[in-house]
Amino acid sequence: MSDKISRRQFVTLTAGTAAAIAAPINVLAKNSTSTKTITKRLIKENMNVLVLHGSPKENGNTAGLVDIATEELKKKGHTVTRMNAVDMEVEPCIACMECQKSGKEFYCINGDDGTKALKAMIEADAIIITSPLYFAAFTAHIKPLIDRSFAMCRKFGTKQHFSFVDGKPVLFLSTGAGPYKNNGEILEGSCNDYVRFLKLDKVDFFYASSKPAVSEEKKQELRQLVAAL
Ligand SMILES: Cc1cc2nc3c(=O)[nH]c(=O)nc-3n(C[C@H](O)[C@H](O)[C@H](O)COP(=O)(O)O)c2cc1C
């Protein structure tokens, strides 16, 4: 994650105060001289958080970030379900556009694990998508699922654009051997497009260099980020 990215603060509200949620407001963030957008977002209690893990390694560098996020979310009483892309059979999107013809119902012609994962995303309260950098992009394990997510939105580019995951918080976690600049930031660009297509609420793109290892400082940074949700 780049420090240039706006950090958001989250307000835990009870259902009774949900009506008090307003549009994003600009305030001067603590310890910063720049104006940052602070979103007042309803973070429900006992959320079901879905992790879509894109590394082929179930216990690798990126999984280390997942473990930290999971630990912090569980401390707050949330439930975390992890799906490993490497264990799933997800065919690539073939751009048949049948989903786009199906109106307000979620639909994908494919009945494979990809469609199951998309349905799980729709049912989840929040989503974490992870991927190590592979040539500055998503891994081939998670990319088919990213593309198939097109089935969760309609009429992109028009005023009628809508999504079945509209407003859902999404946190991206990524590691790579190299730096964020000209490397991690390239994947973040793709993540931003994903957020735009699906009308998601981007919590953050958290990037950590894994060479020689993810630093304790970075781990602590992620812990604090998730703990603040
Ligand atoms: C095929 C391949 C491509 C990679 N491309 C990049 C890259 O473009 N940028 C980078 O910083 N690291 C790259 N890496 C290194 C991994 O992103 C890095 O080691 C990562 O932390 C691995 O995470 P994991 O243990 O969760 O799989 C690449 C690794 C592989 C195997």
Side-chain angles (χ1 to χ4, degrees), residues 55 57 60-62 132-136 175-178 183 207 210:
S55 170
K57 295 187 183 165
N61 297 321
T62 317
L133 282 189
Y134 275 15
F135 292 97
T175 66
N183 191 42
Y207 178 76
S210 59

Side-chain angles (χ1 to χ4, degrees), residues 15-205:
T17 54
I21 299 169
I25 50 168
N26 286 326
V27 299
L28 200 61
K30 201 179 164 197
N31 300 329
S32 167
T33 52
S34 64
T35 302
K36 298 192 174 186
T37 300
I38 293 187
T39 304
K40 284 191 173 181
R41 175 188 296 147
L42 177 65
I43 296 292
K44 294 191 291 185
E45 288 176 8
N46 305 318
M47 285 196 304
N48 286 313
V49 182
L50 176 68
V51 179
L52 296 168
H53 181 57
S55 170
K57 295 187 183 165
E58 294 188 14
N59 296 300
N61 297 321
T62 317
L65 301 186
V66 173
D67 289 344
I68 290 170
T70 301
E71 204 181 306
E72 293 301 323
L73 287 166
K74 284 188 173 170
K75 271 188 208 165
K76 295 177 80 81
H78 304 304
T79 303
V80 181
T81 307
R82 175 168 151 184
M83 296 174 91
N84 296 316
V86 72
D87 297 330
M88 294 157 59
E89 298 207 352
V90 185
E91 288 180 26
C93 174
I94 55 168
C96 65
M97 299 297 155
E98 289 302 316
C99 58
Q100 300 302 308
K101 295 176 199 156
S102 69
K104 303 222 165 179
E105 295 294 314
F106 167 76
Y107 177 69
C108 176
I109 54 158
N110 204 317
D112 68 1
D113 290 343
T115 298
K116 284 183 201 140
L118 298 183
K119 285 182 179 165
M121 287 172 86
I122 292 169
E123 280 165 19
D125 298 307
I127 304 162
I128 296 177
I129 296 177
T130 83
S131 180
L133 282 189
Y134 275 15
F135 292 97
F138 287 111
T139 62
H141 306 282
I142 194 114
K143 185 64 163 72
L145 190 56
I146 295 294
D147 293 347
R148 291 269 298 281
S149 299
F150 188 54
M152 294 194 295
C153 77
R154 301 280 181 277
K155 301 180 189 295
F156 180 78
T158 73
K159 282 186 180 165
Q160 292 80 39
H161 177 206
F162 72 92
S163 159
F164 298 103
V165 285
D166 193 336
K168 201 162 288 208
V170 62
L171 170 64
F172 298 95
L173 301 178
S174 178
T175 66
Y180 171 79
K181 186 131 187 68
N182 295 326
N183 191 42
E185 68 181 344
I186 298 171
L187 178 60
E188 182 168 23
S190 298
C191 292
N192 289 343
D193 252 13
Y194 188 75
V195 164
R196 208 159 48 90
F197 265 75
L198 295 175
K199 293 178 159 262
L200 289 160
D201 183 4
K202 180 183 167 196
V203 173
D204 211 336
F205 174 86

